[in-house]
Amino acid sequence: MEILGVLLGVALLLGLGVVVLVVIGLVKAARAVGEKVERQEAKARRAVENVTLKAKSYTQTGPQGQISAVRLGLRTSLDGTRRVLEGAVGQDGQLGEALALLGRLDAHAAELDGELRMLEREPDAGRVAAKLPELRERADRITHSAETMRWAAQDRMHRFAADELGRLSRECEDEAGALRHWDTVSGASGAGTATAPGASASATAPGASASASGDSAGAGAGAGAAREAGGARRGLTDGRGGRPSAEELLGLADPVAKLAQRLRKPTTGPSAG
């Protein structure tokens, strides 16, 4: 029985927790829907007011038309600045501070719009004419501040876009050069080919001259050796070398020479016989 009671208690607690979670979720969902509806209603109401102010600024004359024009210009400037900052804050976190300043500026603009609305209902034309310049000057200051932040945010986005485009262009050029790698390789090989002949010529010219001189010296030495060898061979074949001739071996060299000399002598006169 005790175990059964414990199990029932646990089940009740779980069911109660589920019910509480469901109720909290429904409340949050209803609140989110209500806030969204309120924002939509505020936007719709503001759009209707802007259209009405624009119509009044064109149709009404005098202080009433001027007040409507001041209110319309104030709202238009703040709305434009808010759209620019909210659209760029996701990419640039530093614009969050500008949004905070715009919120404070919007609070001052709301107070001024309330004063302008009351002045618009003022029946005394003299008071309207006295208060309008002061309120217009405050509206101009707020408008100028909002426009300054909007222009600065636009310039900042344009600068970032230009820098990003420059980096992207350089990366594209580098990638294009990498894709055309054969141009770099052919250029390097062409430069090597252009310098190789001169280098080889300058490098091989001394060697060639040395080899040529060596060849000529070798040829001269070979010619001298050939001449010496030829002389030796001629001495061996014609009998005037180291081998003695037949006349020398027989001892007839001197008588033969004397006989030849006597035969070459000219005769001085007719012979007696």
Side-chain angles (χ1 to χ4, degrees):
M1 296 297 294
E2 294 179 357
I3 297 175
L4 184 59
V6 171
L7 293 176
L8 289 175
V10 172
L12 290 175
L13 290 175
L14 290 176
L16 182 60
V18 171
V19 171
V20 170
L21 292 176
V22 171
V23 171
I24 293 174
L26 291 175
V27 170
K28 288 184 177 181
R31 185 177 299 174
V33 172
E35 291 177 355
K36 186 175 181 180
V37 170
E38 289 178 359
R39 286 195 299 269
Q40 294 296 331
E41 289 180 355
K43 289 181 180 180
R45 184 169 56 252
R46 192 175 183 86
V48 172
E49 291 178 354
N50 291 339
V51 172
T52 303
L53 290 174
K54 185 179 292 186
K56 288 182 179 179
S57 63
Y58 286 124
T59 57
Q60 294 181 352
T61 58
Q64 302 297 328
Q66 295 178 8
I67 292 174
S68 298
V70 171
R71 292 180 63 192
L72 181 63
L74 189 64
R75 292 184 175 207
T76 302
S77 178
L78 290 172
D79 290 342
T81 303
R82 184 175 295 279
R83 283 195 298 269
V84 171
L85 295 180
E86 289 180 350
V89 71
Q91 301 176 357
D92 189 358
Q94 292 186 359
L95 295 179
E97 298 180 0
L99 271 175
L101 291 176
L102 183 63
R104 295 169 56 186
L105 196 64
D106 198 2
H108 287 281
E111 294 179 359
L112 179 59
D113 187 73
E115 294 180 12
L116 288 171
R117 188 183 295 108
M118 287 188 297
L119 188 64
E120 192 176 13
R121 299 190 185 98
E122 178 63 37
D124 190 356
R127 181 171 177 78
V128 172
K131 294 288 294 183
L132 184 58
E134 178 186 356
L135 298 179
R136 183 185 290 116
E137 192 270 337
R138 287 173 58 189
D140 291 339
R141 290 172 59 186
I142 294 173
T143 301
H144 177 70
S145 298
E147 290 176 349
T148 301
M149 287 193 296
R150 182 174 69 251
W151 295 337
Q154 291 174 349
D155 294 340
R156 184 180 178 87
M157 289 187 294
H158 293 165
R159 178 61 180 272
F160 285 169
D163 294 342
E164 181 64 24
L165 181 58
R167 287 192 297 270
L168 182 59
S169 298
R170 289 192 294 271
E171 291 178 0
C172 291
E173 292 176 358
D174 295 340
E175 183 64 22
L179 292 176
R180 295 193 185 98
H181 60 88
W182 59 86
D183 291 341
T184 305
V185 174
S186 62
S189 62
T193 306
T195 57
S200 62
S202 61
T204 57
S209 61
S211 62
S213 60
D215 293 340
S216 62
R227 284 193 297 270
E228 293 177 358
R233 287 194 295 273
R234 286 193 299 270
L236 290 175
T237 55
D238 59 3
R240 291 192 298 270
R243 180 182 298 175
S245 63
E247 291 83 357
E248 291 176 354
L249 292 174
L250 295 175
L252 299 177
D254 292 337
V256 172
K258 292 177 180 180
L259 179 60
Q261 289 178 1
R262 285 197 301 269
L263 291 176
R264 291 190 187 95
K265 284 183 180 181
T267 59
T268 58
S271 60

